[in-house]
Amino acid sequence: MNDTAPAWWTRAVVYQIYPRSFADATGDGVGDLAGIISRLDHLADLGVDVIWLSPVHESPGHDNGYDISNYRRIDAVFGTAEEFDELLRQVHRRGMKLIMDLVVNHTSDQHSAFVTSASARDNPSRDSYYWRDARPGFDPGEPGAEPNNWGSFFGGPAWSYHRPTGQYYLHLFTPQQPDLNWDSSRVRQSVYEMMNWWLDRGVDGFRMDVINFISKDPRLPDGLVEPGSAYGDGGPWFTNGPRIHEFLQEMRRSAFSHREGDFLTVGETPGATVEQALLYTDAARGELDMVFQFEHVQLDHEPGSKWEYRELDLRDLKTSWNRWQRGLADRGWNSLYLSNHDQPRQVSRVGDEGRYRYESATLWATLLHLQRGTPYIYQGEEIGMTSAGFTEIGQYRDIESLNFHRDALARGMPEADVLRALRRMSRDNARTPMQWDAGPHAGFSEAEPWISVNPNHAEINVEADRASERSIFRWYQRLIRMRHESPLIALGSCHLLHGDHPRLYAFERLLGQERLQVAANVSAEDLPLPPDLAPGRTLMDNYDDGGDPLVLRPWQVRVSAA
Ligand code: ISL
C-alpha cells in the first residue's frame, strides 16, 4: 500500500456463489442465473461488496464446471448470455461487484483448442498442451509407460494416452481437464483476450483457479514417491514454477493496466508459503491483489492426504494464521476464508454443529472477519449450514469423492472407513443446495435437486435464521458493517495474544490510539479469562446476557474496545 490510499478491497467482503447449488428458477433441479437474480436481495441485505461466481461457462461438467469447453459462452444449464448480462446489471444496480472464476490452468478436453491440438502430432498448435512420448523403454499405452510418475489430484496418473497420435497428455486433475502449456505465447495471448472480453462486458475481476500451477518446469521430471503412494509428487515442478511471476505480471499488464476502475484479482494458490504470497500480492510488483493460501485448511489431516484425519490443535491454527498476519502486515494482502466449495462446512469442521451451532458459527465468523485481510463468505455459511452428513456412496456426486471411494476400496480399505473419511472431508459437504426455507427441497428448487438437500433444512434455513432471536445472518451483517465503517478493522495491525493457550483464541487490533480486542473460547467448557484480557467496553458478544466478564462460556466470543 505504501504511500498511496488503501485499496477499496481492504474494506470489502466477498460472497461466493456455487451456481449449481444456490437457487433453481427453471425447475430442473440445478441452480441457475435466473435463480441467482431472484435472490440478490439476500446478498445486498447481508451487505457484501463482491460476488464471486464459480464457473458458469459452457462445460461438459466432469468437475462441475471447472472443465470449460467454451470460455465465452454460458452453459445452457445455467441460462443464457442475456441472463448473464441481466445478472451483472442487477448486481451493479445494488452497488455490488461481480467477479468470475478464471479456470486457465487447464481447459476441458472438449475445448476446440484441445481438439485441434490433439488432431495430429504436427498440428501447429500441438504445443498448446503438454504432449509427450512414452517413457523410454516402454511401449506407448502399456502400464508404467507414462512420461513421468506424477499422480493426478483426483486419483490415477496425471497422464492419459491418446492412441490416435501415440502420445500422452498431461492433466493435473481429471483426464477431461488437460493442462494448458503457458510457455506458448499463443496460449497466453488467447487467455488475456478472453479476460479482456469479460472485462469489456463489465465484470469486475477474477478468482483464478490454481493459478500458481500454470508455470511448469518444461522437463517435467519425476517426483518423489512417498512410502505407500503409487505416484510421485510433481508439486515441486509445477507449484510456483519458474515463470509464474513473469506470467502474472504480463497478465495484469494485458488485462488491467489500460483500465480505470475498481477491480479485484484473487489467485487460488495451493502450496504457497507466506514468502511466495508476498511476491504475488505486493502491489508494487503488479501481479495479484490477494491469494487463497491453504495452510490453515490442511492442519486437520496428514500432510498430502486430506482423507487421513488428524485432530486439529488450535495452537497450530493460531500459529499459522499469525504467521500470515505478520508476513503480510506491511506489504501484500491476505484473503480470509474457512469455507468454499472444496472444503467441508466450517461449523461442522471446527465448530459444534449440534448444541452450540449458533455460538460456534458466530465465533468462527468473528475470528475470521476481524483479522486483517479480505473475508470470503461461502453461500450458506451466513446461516450456519452444516456438512452434508451423507451415509451412502450413492449420495455423492463429486468426481474426487467418487474416485477416492473406488481407489480406496481397490486398495482394501474397509468401506465403513471410506465413508467416514468422505463424510468428514468430501467436497460435496459444501455443495448441497442452499437452504432458503423449510418447504420442499428447502426452497432451492421445485424439482428433485441434483444433490440431496440436507434434511436439517427444516430447522436450518434463511427464513428461520432471519426470524430468530439468535440470527447468524444478523451477526454476519454486523461484522460486515464494522469492516465498512472502521478503519481499525480494515487496516489496523493484528497481534495474537496467549498464542500457546490450547482453547483460547485472542488477538488485538491496533490503529493509532484505537484498540480492539477479540477473545474466544474454542471449546465446550467454561474458560476463565487470563486477567490481562478483562474486557473493556463490549461491542459484540454472542451470549449477550451480561454474564461474568471474566469467564467465557462454551464457544463464547467477545469483541471489546479498550
Ligand atoms: O489440495 C489441493 C492441492 O493441494 C487440491 O484441493 C486442489 O488444489 C484444489 O482442488 C484446486 O481447486 C480448484 O481447482 C480444481 C477444482 O476441482 C476445484 O473445485 C477448484 O476450486 C480443478 O479446477
Side-chain angles (χ1 to χ4, degrees), residues 39-219:
R39 295 292 187 177
L40 283 180
D41 286 336
H42 173 74
L43 305 183
D45 237 26
L46 182 57
V48 297
D49 306 272
V50 182
I51 296 171
W52 149 28
L53 200 57
S54 275
V56 291
H57 315 81
E58 187 185 277
S59 164
H62 287 283
D63 188 17
N64 283 4
Y66 283 88
D67 49 324
I68 296 176
S69 51
N70 189 323
Y71 289 84
R72 300 181 197 211
R73 283 212 197 121
I74 300 294
D75 196 287
V77 84
F78 296 123
T80 63
E82 291 68 39
E83 281 170 312
F84 180 83
D85 289 335
E86 176 64 11
L87 169 64
L88 198 53
R89 255 195 309 277
Q90 295 285 348
V91 168
H92 287 162
R93 199 169 66 75
R94 288 170 176 80
M96 298 184 286
K97 296 180 184 298
L98 183 77
I99 67 171
M100 303 287 284
D101 224 301
L102 184 77
V103 188
V104 290
N105 170 71
H106 43 270
T107 67
S108 160
D109 64 344
Q110 304 297 304
H111 192 286
S112 59
F114 184 75
V115 174
T116 307
S117 174
S119 63
R121 277 194 190 216
D122 60 359
N123 185 280
S125 55
R126 185 71 165 173
D127 69 346
S128 294
Y129 294 82
Y130 289 97
W131 292 98
R132 294 289 188 274
D133 292 331
R135 192 182 277 277
F138 284 79
D139 285 333
E142 76 168 304
E146 288 82 16
N148 74 20
N149 68 0
W150 299 359
S152 92
F153 281 108
F154 299 155
W159 296 91
S160 286
Y161 183 52
H162 183 248
R163 195 169 299 280
T165 56
Q167 283 190 311
Y168 288 80
Y169 66 90
L170 176 70
H171 52 83
L172 295 183
F173 295 91
T174 69
Q176 292 81 20
Q177 293 165 297
D179 280 55
L180 282 166
N181 172 19
W182 275 69
D183 287 320
S184 151
S185 61
R186 181 189 332 104
V187 165
R188 301 202 301 280
Q189 291 315 319
S190 62
V191 170
Y192 307 152
E193 269 169 38
M194 177 269 287
M195 291 172 73
N196 274 302
W197 186 85
W198 281 105
L199 290 165
D200 290 345
R201 194 146 170 186
V203 308
D204 302 292
F206 301 98
R207 172 270 185 189
M208 304 180 183
D209 195 61
V210 288
I211 201 68
N212 64 329
F213 291 179
I214 61 175
S215 166
K216 293 160 178 94
D217 182 327
R219 296 168 302 155

